[in-house]
Amino acid sequence: MAFHPSSDEDLDRNLQRLIITIEDMPVLDMGELGERTGLGEEASSIYRHYVAEKGLLAKSTINFFKLGLHDTYTILKISPIFNKAIPAFMEASIQNNFIISALRPMGQNVLITRELVPLGEHEKLKYALDELSILGIIEGYEIFKADQVVNRWSLNPSAFDYVKGKWRTSPLQASVERKFKVADLNPVKFDAADLKIVQMLKKSAATKPEAIAASLNLSVDEAELHLKSHVLGGVDPKKSVLLGSSIDFFEPGLFAPETSIIAGFFSPEEEVREDFLNKLVKNPYLTFFASCDKYFFTLFSLPTDQLYVVADSLNSLEENYLMADFRFYFAPWFNNNKYGDPHNQADISRSFVKGKWEFNLGDFFDNVKQIAKSSI
C-alpha cells in the first residue's frame, strides 16, 4: 500500500524526528522506532518510503575500542611511478593488513586510509609503512590516532531531500545542531559470533534476530542472547559495542557522479579549538568526525556541484581561526571506484582468529612486492 503523508510540513517534521531518534538507536526496531517517535506504524512506512526506497539505509555505528581496536587514519603519499598500481595495492592492503577503507583524492598521488589497529600495536602499522617506503611505493606518511569514539551523523534533511531522493541546492545557509557521543573505551569480552553480528548491523541496523540466527546457524534465542547480552552490553550500556545508527547511502554508486566527499584534517590552536569545533559541526554536509589528539578528521558528503562552494566555506574557517594545520581533499564517488567509499568497509572478522586479532603482514608484503615489480 502506498504511503501518503498528510502535508509537506508534517512530513518534514516527522522525517526529522525519525532521523534524530534513529541516531540514538544502536539497533533499528520498527516497533520501538514508532513508539519512541510517537508515530506508531507510520514510522515504518516513512522509513520504507523515504529512506529504504530512496537508496538509503540506517547502519549501526561501532565503538571499535570495545573490540580492542584503535581507530586510526593515515595519509599516504604514493610514489608517482606506482600510481597506476593503487587499486591493486589497496586490494592487497584490505585483504592482508590493517586497512578497512580508503579515499583516493582527485588529482593527487595520495591515499587517505582508515585502519583498525589492535590496541597497543601501532608499531606494526608503522613498520609496515616504513617497509613500503623502503620499497619505494610510498614517499611518506602521517598517522593520526583517534582519542575518542567516531561520531557519524545521518545525511541531514537540510542538505539531502529524502522526499525526492537527491541533494538539495544551497543548504549552507541552514544551521544544523548535532549531538556528540562520548563513550567508554575499555575493551569488552566478545567471541566470533558477536563480531559477525556487529558486521551485519554495520551493514544494516535493521537486521532482525531471525536473519542473524540463520546466518550464524544459531537459534533465535541464541542470536538474541549474543545481541542483547554481549553486543549491546546487557544491563550495562557502557559495555555496548554499538553507539547508535546513522542513515547513509546503501550503495554510493547509485548517486554517482552527483556525490563527492571532502576529507578534512584540521588542527586549531588550543585557545580557539572549542569555538572552531562548534562552528564546524553546524555544516549540514558533515557526516563523520574523529578527534585525533590535536587534529580533527572529518568527512563531508555533498553534491559534486557544491564542491567549490563548500571548499570556500571551509577556507573561511581558516581565515577566522588560528590554525596549526588546515587541509582538505576532494574525492568524487564513481561507480568503478570501490575504494572511494569509506562507508562500505572491509570485513574485519577474518582477522579475528582463535579469540584474538591477527594480521598477516607476510602475505601483505609478498603481494605488494609482486605489485611493485609488475608496475615498473
Side-chain angles (χ1 to χ4, degrees):
M1 180 181 295
F3 173 67
H4 301 287
S6 55
S7 71
D8 290 344
E9 185 178 337
D10 286 342
L11 177 59
D12 287 343
R13 184 166 52 248
N14 290 342
L15 272 167
Q16 186 69 51
R17 192 186 313 171
L18 199 80
I19 292 166
I20 291 172
T21 304
I22 286 174
E23 289 184 337
D24 280 334
M25 295 179 66
V27 177
L28 184 56
D29 176 82
M30 291 303 166
E32 182 183 353
L33 181 63
E35 190 174 307
R36 291 176 62 168
T37 57
L39 295 172
E41 294 182 359
E42 188 179 1
S44 176
S45 297
I46 294 175
Y47 180 84
R48 182 179 67 254
H49 194 72
Y50 296 106
V51 178
E53 292 180 5
K54 294 296 191 290
L56 307 172
L57 201 64
K59 303 177 183 180
S60 298
T61 304
I62 305 168
N63 179 352
F64 284 109
F65 287 95
K66 288 295 182 188
L67 299 175
L69 296 171
H70 200 146
D71 237 312
T72 305
Y73 312 91
T74 65
I75 299 178
L76 307 179
K77 186 177 181 183
I78 307 296
S79 174
I81 63 173
F82 295 116
N83 193 44
K84 292 182 179 179
I86 285 178
F89 164 71
M90 287 307 310
E91 191 70 43
S93 300
I94 285 178
Q95 290 299 321
N96 303 108
N97 201 17
F98 304 105
I99 296 175
I100 62 166
S101 65
L103 198 68
R104 186 177 181 182
M106 184 169 54
Q108 301 185 56
N109 294 327
V110 168
L111 277 176
I112 298 171
T113 65
R114 183 184 183 188
E115 288 83 13
L116 296 175
V117 182
L119 293 173
E121 294 191 13
H122 274 91
E123 284 302 312
K124 285 187 178 180
L125 173 62
K126 188 175 183 300
Y127 170 76
L129 297 179
D130 286 340
E131 287 295 307
L132 293 182
S133 299
I134 292 171
L135 290 169
I137 291 176
I138 62 175
E139 296 181 340
Y141 65 85
E142 295 174 82
I143 298 175
F144 304 86
K145 297 185 287 187
D147 53 33
Q148 244 302 328
V149 293
V150 164
N151 273 264
R152 295 186 64 169
W153 296 285
S154 304
L155 296 172
N156 194 273
S158 66
F160 189 87
D161 189 336
Y162 282 78
V163 176
K164 296 180 179 179
K166 64 180 184 180
W167 293 106
R168 296 184 188 273
T169 57
S170 303
L172 281 179
Q173 299 172 358
S175 181
V176 177
E177 298 296 330
R178 292 188 172 96
K179 293 189 298 183
F180 274 97
K181 287 186 170 70
V182 177
D184 181 79
L185 306 183
N186 294 311
V188 295
K189 291 183 179 180
F190 64 95
D191 58 26
D194 301 327
L195 185 58
K196 288 179 180 178
I197 291 172
V198 170
Q199 289 286 131
M200 294 177 72
L201 292 169
K202 180 169 70 71
K203 295 177 181 177
S204 172
T207 303
K208 296 182 180 298
E210 291 79 4
I212 293 173
S215 177
L216 301 185
N217 196 26
L218 299 172
S219 69
V220 174
D221 286 344
E222 289 173 324
E224 288 185 332
L225 177 65
H226 278 277
L227 174 60
K228 294 177 181 179
S229 297
H230 300 176
V231 176
L232 296 176
V235 296
D236 188 354
K238 289 195 302 183
K239 293 183 178 180
S240 176
V241 178
L242 305 180
L243 297 167
S245 301
S246 62
I247 297 176
D248 195 1
F249 298 112
F250 171 71
E251 171 51 61
L254 296 175
F255 293 84
E258 291 84 7
T259 299
S260 292
I261 289 178
I262 292 179
F265 289 86
F266 308 125
S267 181
E269 296 289 357
E270 187 63 35
E271 60 266 33
V272 300
R273 184 178 175 90
E274 186 174 346
D275 286 344
F276 175 84
L277 180 57
N278 289 335
K279 183 69 173 179
L280 183 70
V281 298
K282 294 182 186 299
N283 189 303
Y285 293 121
L286 182 65
T287 55
F288 185 104
F289 175 90
S291 172
C292 305
D293 191 18
K294 296 181 179 180
Y295 276 84
F296 298 141
F297 172 55
T298 59
L299 292 175
F300 302 84
S301 300
L302 67 156
T304 301
D305 62 9
Q306 293 290 303
L307 274 173
Y308 292 106
V309 175
V310 178
D312 284 344
S313 74
L314 294 176
N315 280 326
S316 69
L317 292 178
E318 183 182 23
E319 295 169 1
N320 295 323
Y321 295 93
L322 293 172
M323 306 295 292
D325 195 358
F326 185 93
R327 46 188 152 150
F328 52 86
Y329 304 82
F330 298 158
W333 264 333
F334 294 123
N335 283 310
N336 62 348
N337 186 8
K338 67 178 179 178
Y339 301 119
D341 171 20
H343 300 265
N344 293 336
Q345 300 153 352
D347 182 358
I348 61 172
S349 61
R350 64 174 178 273
S351 299
F352 188 69
V353 182
K354 296 181 179 179
K356 63 179 182 178
W357 295 107
E358 290 187 0
F359 292 84
N360 195 331
L361 290 179
D363 285 349
F364 167 64
F365 287 129
D366 288 343
N367 291 340
V368 168
K369 288 175 182 176
Q370 291 300 316
I371 292 167
K373 288 179 182 178
S374 64
S375 299
I376 297 176

